[in-house]
Amino acid sequence: MQYSKQVFSSSILRLVLCILAFTAVNPLAAQDDFEAEIATIKELDWPEQRERFEAAVESRKGTPLQRARYHHELGVVYFVLDDLFQAIEQTEKALEIRLDHEAEAGEEVLYSAYNLGSFYHNLGNFDEAFAYFQLIVDRAPNSRLGYTLFRLGSLYRDLGEFKLSEQAFAAALKEAPYPDDQAERTTLLAEWADLYLKQETPEATRSAIDLLEKAYANYDELAASDGYYASLAALSLNRLGLAYTNARDLRRARSYFQQALDYNEQCCQDEDLAASIHTNMGIAYRHLGQPSAALEWHRKALDIRLESVTPGKTDITLARTFDNLASTYLDLGRPREGLDHIQRALSWGLPQFKPSGAEDNPSLTLLREYPNKNSLLIHLQDKARLWTALAEKEQNADHLQQALATYRTCDQLIDLMRESHLEKNTKLYWREQAQKMYQSAVKVALMSERADAAFYFFEKSRAVLLLDGLRELNASSRLPAATRKQLARLAAKIQYLEKAAYEEAASGEPAPNDQLSLLREQYRHLLDSVEAGYPDYYRQKYRPGILGLQDLQDQLAPGEIWVEYFLANDFSLGFVVEKTGVNMVELAAPESLEPHINALLRNLKQYDAPFDPEPALALYRYLIEPLQLRAGSRLTIVPDARLSLIPFEVLLTDRPEGADYGQWDFLLRQHEVHYAFSASSHYFQTGNRPEANGKVLAFAPMAQLAPELGVDESLELPRTRFTTEYISKILPTDLFLGRDARRERLLEMAPRASVLHLATHAYLDHEQPEFSYFLVADPDPERRRFYVNELYQQQYSADLAVLSACETGAGKLFRGEGVASIGRAFAQNGCPNLAMSLWPVDEGATSRLLESFYEKLKAGSPKGAALHRAKLDYLEQFGDPQLKHPFRWSGFVYYGQDTPLELKAGGRSTWPYLLAIGLVVLGLISLRSRKKV
């Protein structure tokens, strides 16, 4: 289903008027007769203008800048006559000449660049559009900067870069002509409202309604003196109807649509706008559960659009109309008719797509070339839904295979969309949107009993951006050092400004968004150039990397079980993979899990209260028992959604007797448990990593607080000193305590360390995870914060990162990607194995647990097994039951492969050269400390 947000011909008219305004005067043209000739030609109708300007271009008469003017004006005419390719060709010739004579051409260069950016935007070629708009931005300040920022806001909106779109619109509002021109300012507000309409959240919808009400009032006032604005007033009413449809206020939505129809009939009789209103009215009736009425409105919209169609030419609005009809037929229980209409939608969106039947889908080549990928994704998802409905109606399993094939095409398209986005937040937004498709695909795979297809969509639904980051590490080695440095320098500037904007916004001061937007623009342009100029880099960055089901089985060791969970909106699955077989198990509905997850998390964090066994028992029954796992097997668990926040080891296999937690039947006693973000990232091989130095980097800035640091005494963590010094006695270690644990030391030493051990305080930002941070030693409070986004400027060679701080494995949860934690940032930058915490852990218990962990690593135990054994040992060491509360021992989890620790320098193992070290006997450490790390 697709809303019609068509700006009828208003977007074209506004662009034409803007273009004509740019070309109406030429202060550098010396010949009055030349200007008179231009003025005379422009009084003619459009076809006659084309003939005259074509003749002028063919004659090659006049000075270079006069010839450029002919090309430029001809480009405008071609655009108005709907020939974008000719418009681009002529305008590029004009710009080439004007750039060669820029000293004389002046702002004429900006006129041609703006038009080209706009033409390419309309064509859907966003990369070229960015390049031409960047040319104007690079010459700021100038008279066209406001228009360009406005256009960039629209471009970012169409790309789904909503945050950048909002910043661009806000920046444009400060530039001429918008502060002083009511009409131009109203146009900007209306386009800004469309940004909010695209997001379809309650908050965004409210913002859209506020802007559209202002736009309508302004346009209605302007229409009294200029009839052109009457059409824009009608358009605003249509958009208000759409906004209230999003808000599910269908009574007001229909009222606004009817007002829009009446207004359009009285003032304009614009057929495109009429079709748009009919489409949106049909969608409103679908929401009311009246598909028969909806069908009538959609058919009226189709009749209007077919009157002005051009055969063989892309028509996105007509494609959307067919899509809406297909969805309505689905509501009516007529999926075969729906499939016919959805194929027609695809054909009008992709004229090169010539299906011979409903089974055909567009090729990857066509998907790559198609500019309006967001609309195409909706068409394809609706097609898969139609195949699924047809399978259920006709009881034909072959139709399910067609649905899966269509979802595969959707998946290819999503990959192409992900490649085009720079902003991490926007990638996450589209990952969340794509999650709906993956849920549907997994459900169809379950219906058709296709374990291989289900696992594929499982993997594509999680941690793909993490995998992208790992691919980027590999790909960057294909670039020259100077290019890598240029990209890193620009990225560092962006991150510095992001940090400044974040801190200033927190203090209530305005953030420097304008400069940040421009730098992001430059980075995108540079990245596009790099990808075009270095094919090996591009291939490595975007190469397929999803592990197949058989590949995973080949990787597993005997006795190892891979358990992957999938929590959809309306169903849950457990996927169990062993070397010898695969099992898909449908589990309890997600809504039945949620209360127990919440209760378990509350219990785990209340270390001074008795641990309630009921949530742990319930989650075992829901999540583990139905899988029928062999006792004693080693489990690698890939959690999904909020399951990522709980340690499975604490689930109870049987109801406990007594209050001694050391005697309870935790899952820890039946299975060695560790975790993975996904199978594909788990087994990803990062090549060309920096050479490790064979040492642990033990970094404990809060171990002892020097007065000159100016840090509050309550932040001191004395136990971290004992632990890091102990590590240094049993393993080769670079140890930095207190004021020696400075930012510069971490930046210098961390990339080559074989093991990273960070013992400090960490603080989460649940709204903007990239601004979560941990503390280093520095008298300057700002430099004391080491932000997550600073980690992305480094590549680590460590085999293991131990993040001994609060909640390093917790953070904001993104559907389809998992938890945006500090630990995940280390994983994305080259640390394949992580030990991290899920809540504010107890300092004393953590010290004892990690000392035992390192002892076992030193003895050659695999990393996952070492932490598992350390937890068991912890439970056996104390008589006081309260010291065995799960809060104290279960908060640390291990993500990574269960392999022995690698301490290598220069490619050779250091172990043969280590002297035997006797066991170090430590004094008894009081574990009753309430201090948290």
Side-chain angles (χ1 to χ4, degrees), residues 38-56:
I38 295 291
T40 300
I41 295 174
K42 292 174 71 171
E43 290 177 358
L44 304 172
D45 61 24
W46 294 110
E48 289 180 290
Q49 285 190 43
R50 180 182 61 194
E51 291 179 12
R52 292 288 297 275
F53 281 126
E54 283 177 343

Side-chain angles (χ1 to χ4, degrees), residues 445-661:
L446 180 65
M447 292 167 62
S448 60
E449 300 181 343
R450 284 280 305 279
D452 59 333
F455 184 77
Y456 175 83
F457 290 118
F458 262 43
E459 281 293 294
K460 289 304 295 283
S461 74
R462 64 192 68 220
V464 169
L465 298 187
L466 170 59
L467 195 59
D468 284 349
L470 296 173
R471 291 195 192 108
E472 174 71 27
L473 290 181
N474 273 3
S476 63
S477 65
R478 271 72 178 174
L479 296 177
T483 304
R484 289 201 306 271
K485 185 183 246 184
Q486 189 180 5
L487 281 167
R489 187 181 295 119
L490 195 52
K493 286 181 182 178
I494 291 170
Q495 287 165 1
Y496 172 79
L497 286 177
E498 284 178 336
K499 176 183 171 185
Y502 171 80
E503 291 169 349
E504 290 182 13
S507 65
E509 300 175 12
N513 287 338
D514 297 358
Q515 186 182 359
L516 187 56
S517 297
L518 301 185
L519 279 174
R520 283 170 170 156
E521 204 47 43
Q522 292 174 17
Y523 185 82
R524 179 189 287 278
H525 187 50
L526 176 60
L527 197 59
D528 288 343
S529 300
V530 167
E531 290 180 355
Y534 298 94
D536 283 348
Y537 169 81
Y538 185 89
R539 279 192 294 271
Q540 281 294 319
K541 183 175 179 180
Y542 297 118
R543 67 180 173 84
I546 296 300
L547 201 70
L549 181 56
Q550 185 59 57
D551 296 326
L552 174 61
Q553 289 183 273
D554 293 342
Q555 294 277 3
L556 295 177
E560 183 179 6
I561 299 179
W562 186 272
V563 179
E564 197 154 336
Y565 289 96
F566 188 87
L567 271 58
N569 294 331
D570 57 349
F571 71 97
S572 299
L573 283 180
F575 207 96
V576 182
V577 185
E578 298 185 67
K579 203 165 190 68
T580 55
V582 176
N583 190 23
M584 273 194 305
V585 182
E586 193 158 5
L587 303 172
E591 60 266 22
S592 60
L593 296 173
E594 196 67 21
H596 300 295
I597 294 173
N598 292 335
L600 179 62
L601 289 173
R602 282 196 303 271
N603 287 341
L604 286 170
K605 296 173 184 179
Q606 295 173 348
Y607 57 89
D608 54 354
F611 184 78
D612 180 5
E614 293 305 323
L617 285 164
L619 288 173
Y620 176 80
R621 289 195 300 269
Y622 284 135
L623 297 172
I624 299 295
E625 195 170 58
L627 305 184
Q628 299 181 340
L629 305 174
R630 286 180 290 101
S633 53
R634 188 170 77 249
L635 306 182
T636 299
I637 293 177
V638 182
D640 191 22
R642 297 193 72 234
L643 296 181
S644 304
L645 303 177
I646 65 172
F648 278 67
E649 301 98 306
V650 84
L651 302 187
L652 284 166
T653 62
D654 201 359
R655 185 170 299 280
E657 297 180 4
D660 185 354
Y661 302 123

Side-chain angles (χ1 to χ4, degrees), residues 17 37 153 172 212 448 461 472 499 517 568 730 798 806 894 921:
L17 289 173
E37 178 194 8
L212 287 170
S448 60
S461 74
E472 174 71 27
K499 176 183 171 185
S517 297
I730 64 171
C806 286
Y894 175 71
V921 180

Side-chain angles (χ1 to χ4, degrees), residues 754-783:
S754 291
V755 176
L756 288 173
H757 181 97
L758 299 181
T760 182
H761 290 285
Y763 301 89
L764 296 185
D765 189 316
H766 286 278
E767 293 306 313
Q768 295 178 274
E770 66 271 26
F771 294 112
S772 298
Y773 62 89
F774 55 87
L775 296 183
V776 295
D778 199 292
D780 182 349
E782 295 306 319
R783 285 177 50 80

Side-chain angles (χ1 to χ4, degrees), residues 721-742:
R721 176 175 185 170
F722 300 149
T723 301
T724 51
E725 287 180 342
Y726 178 70
I727 294 169
S728 71
K729 291 175 183 177
I730 64 171
L731 295 172
T733 302
D734 289 319
L735 177 61
F736 297 97
L737 302 175
R739 61 186 171 192
D740 293 331
R742 302 189 308 276

Side-chain angles (χ1 to χ4, degrees), residues 829-851:
N829 286 276
C831 294
N833 306 302
L834 302 165
M836 53 190 182
S837 61
L838 297 177
W839 53 76
V841 291
D842 179 271
E843 186 193 4
T846 298
S847 293
R848 188 66 195 98
L849 188 71
L850 292 182
E851 286 162 17

Side-chain angles (χ1 to χ4, degrees), residues 814-833:
F814 290 96
R815 289 303 300 263
E817 277 302 306
V819 176
S821 66
I822 293 174
R824 182 190 174 97
F826 278 92
Q828 189 166 326
N829 286 276
C831 294
N833 306 302

Side-chain angles (χ1 to χ4, degrees), residues 690-694 752 754 902-910 913:
E691 187 178 275
N693 63 10
R752 293 200 61 235
S754 291
E902 291 184 13
L903 284 179
K904 295 181 180 180
R908 298 180 61 192
S909 172
T910 62
Y913 305 100

